């Protein structure tokens, strides 16, 4: 029997898996354009000039172009009145060529995020954050129109790596509306036994150590040590934290919420940061946009054939 220190975790290559998914999407987009002479359209709305938001948005727009999804760019100034942003969302709701609307978060302080997100048409909510979509995700036997991209990407990484979730102990570290909460609901839908660890949890380490599957989404650099991980467990690291690194040209490097080096010695499977969950988030956004477009175009064709 090999000692734990000899064990090296299998790497779940999110970049490669996302590449495969993007190729599948590109083929489907081509089929749609041949069948309906229309392609899926994604509107990406950005308010202000936060550097991180801008680079995310740039990445999303580039990804759209690569798979043949039409990108509608809406760039608004930092000081835009809330009412103006809402009317922009309404305009996109009514736009026939837009099948998905994404409002890049966070929004400036003077804008009520909840209000904006609930104004997005349910049929175009490709981020999956509309309260009705989250509500359906939480209910047994109901299915949301869209599932949030990062959680969906986490589950897709598991299924495409041949890792079954059913009956497994899954521990989600973090309870944000964007990742922790929806990913725990998705795991529950997939028949895992789910525990959520958060900032008020007593002795988180002992809970995490019971997990067959760990989803780390706490936003704390390298918080989960090798000693927290059960040998052979699957580790999906959603965290992206920058830490100082003088040896890098930029002066920093990106790390996850898991101590990668330590975890690799113990875990059975692990996602790297970067190159794990990140590329999957964008791939799932494209998938959601494609699904939204297919739903609309098929319904329209159905109506036409019955008119």
């Amino acid at each position: 029997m090999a000692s734990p220190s000899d064990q090296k975790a299998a790497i779940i290559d999110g970049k490669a898996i996302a590449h495969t998914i993007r190729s599948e999407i590109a083929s489907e987009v081509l089929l749609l354009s041949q069948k309906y002479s229309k392609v899926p359209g994604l509107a990406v709305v950005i308010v202000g000039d936060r550097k991180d938001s801008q680079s995310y948005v740039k990445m999303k727009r580039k990804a759209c172009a690569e798979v043949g999804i039409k990108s509608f760019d809406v760039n608004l100034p930092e000081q835009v009145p809330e009412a103006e942003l809402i009317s922009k969302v309404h305009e996109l709701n009514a736009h026939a060529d837009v099948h998905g609307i994404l409002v890049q978060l966070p929004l400036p302080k003077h804008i009520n995020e909840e209000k904006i997100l609930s104004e997005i048409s349910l049929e175009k909510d490709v981020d999956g954050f509309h309260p009705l979509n989250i509500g359906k995700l939480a209910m047994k036997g109901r299915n949301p129109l869209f599932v949030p991209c990062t959680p969906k990407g986490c589950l897709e990484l598991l299924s495409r790596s041949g890792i079954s979730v059913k009956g497994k102990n899954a521990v989600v570290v973090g309870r944000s509306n964007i990742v922790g909460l929806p990913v725990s609901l998705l795991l529950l839908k997939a028949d895992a036994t789910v525990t959520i660890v958060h900032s008020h949890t007593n002795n988180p380490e002992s809970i995490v150590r019971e997990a067959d599957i760990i989803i780390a989404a706490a936003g704390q650099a390298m918080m989960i040590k090798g000693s927290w991980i059960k040998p052979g467990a699957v580790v999906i690291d959603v965290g992206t934290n920058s830490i100082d690194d003088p040896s890098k040209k930029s002066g920093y490097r990106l790390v996850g919420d898991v101590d990668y080096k330590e975890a690799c010695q113990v875990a059975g499977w692990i996602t790297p940061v970067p190159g794990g969950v990140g590329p999957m988030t964008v791939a799932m956004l494209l998938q959601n946009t494609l699904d939204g477009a297919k739903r609309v175009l098929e319904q329209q064709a159905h109506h036409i054939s019955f008119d």
Side-chain angles (χ1 to χ4, degrees):
M1 176 75 184
S3 70
S5 60
D6 297 335
Q7 189 182 344
K8 283 280 183 280
I11 308 298
I12 299 175
D13 186 344
K15 213 169 168 181
I17 294 172
H19 182 75
T20 303
I21 292 169
R22 277 154 80 144
S23 306
E24 294 166 5
I25 292 169
S27 311
E28 285 210 55
V29 168
L30 193 61
L31 283 175
L32 271 192
S33 70
Q34 288 165 350
K35 193 172 175 184
Y36 302 112
S37 308
K38 281 201 166 182
V39 297
L42 175 67
V44 182
V45 181
I46 183 169
V47 179
D49 41 25
R50 274 180 65 123
K51 285 276 175 284
D52 57 347
S53 289
Q54 281 182 329
S55 71
Y56 289 142
V57 163
K58 206 168 142 191
M59 191 166 62
K60 287 164 184 174
R61 288 171 178 165
K62 185 170 169 266
C64 281
E66 282 172 15
V67 297
I69 290 175
K70 186 169 165 48
S71 179
F72 295 82
D73 303 347
V74 181
N75 304 307
L76 298 168
E78 180 83 23
Q79 298 308 323
V80 68
E82 186 177 81
E84 197 178 314
L85 177 55
I86 289 174
S87 74
K88 198 76 213 170
V89 167
H90 289 170
E91 204 178 294
L92 296 168
N93 283 343
H95 197 312
D97 293 333
V98 172
H99 303 102
I101 300 169
L102 179 142
V103 176
Q104 184 63 46
L105 304 177
L107 289 167
K109 291 278 180 279
H110 69 281
I111 293 173
N112 179 338
E113 209 165 90
E114 186 182 351
K115 195 170 175 185
I116 302 302
L117 294 180
S118 61
E119 290 294 334
I120 296 171
S121 153
L122 200 58
E123 289 75 22
K124 299 189 180 190
D125 172 39
V126 284
D127 248 345
F129 294 146
H130 191 288
L132 267 173
N133 274 327
I134 293 286
K136 285 190 172 182
L137 183 61
M139 294 169 84
K140 201 175 171 188
R142 308 281 170 89
N143 286 308
L145 286 177
F146 299 104
V147 171
C149 302
T150 301
K152 184 175 179 167
C154 292
L155 273 277
E156 193 70 26
L157 283 175
L158 294 170
S159 76
R160 289 198 183 228
S161 304
I163 297 160
S164 127
V165 174
K166 196 174 188 164
K168 299 277 178 70
N169 281 338
V171 173
V172 178
V173 184
R175 55 174 171 181
S176 73
N177 288 337
I178 293 174
V179 184
L181 178 73
V183 84
S184 58
L185 295 172
L186 267 182
L187 287 162
L188 198 55
K189 259 201 189 336
D191 298 323
T193 301
V194 184
T195 310
I196 302 173
V197 165
H198 49 78
S199 55
H200 294 276
T201 302
N202 291 323
N203 202 355
E205 185 179 338
S206 65
I207 297 171
V208 174
R209 209 181 281 126
E210 294 296 308
D212 303 309
I213 297 168
I214 300 165
I215 311 272
Q220 299 286 324
M222 296 161 77
M223 164 188 160
I224 296 169
K225 303 292 172 195
S227 61
W228 291 38
I229 298 164
K230 178 163 92 173
V234 180
V235 179
I236 304 287
D237 192 350
V238 185
T240 28
N241 312 286
S242 50
I243 60 168
D244 293 335
D245 185 345
S247 73
K248 292 272 191 260
K249 200 170 122 186
S250 59
Y252 69 91
R253 66 189 165 99
L254 289 181
V255 298
D257 290 352
V258 176
D259 188 320
Y260 185 74
K261 207 169 152 194
E262 286 189 11
C264 275
Q265 301 298 321
V266 195
W269 300 78
I270 192 165
T271 60
V273 176
V277 175
M280 291 299 289
T281 298
V282 181
M284 294 301 103
L285 172 65
L286 302 175
Q287 183 70 58
N288 279 352
T289 305
L290 169 67
D291 291 346
K294 271 185 3 193
R295 206 162 19 228
V296 169
L297 296 172
E298 281 162 12
Q299 276 170 355
Q300 283 172 351
H302 190 69
H303 286 315
I304 290 164
S305 63
F306 281 94
D307 277 355

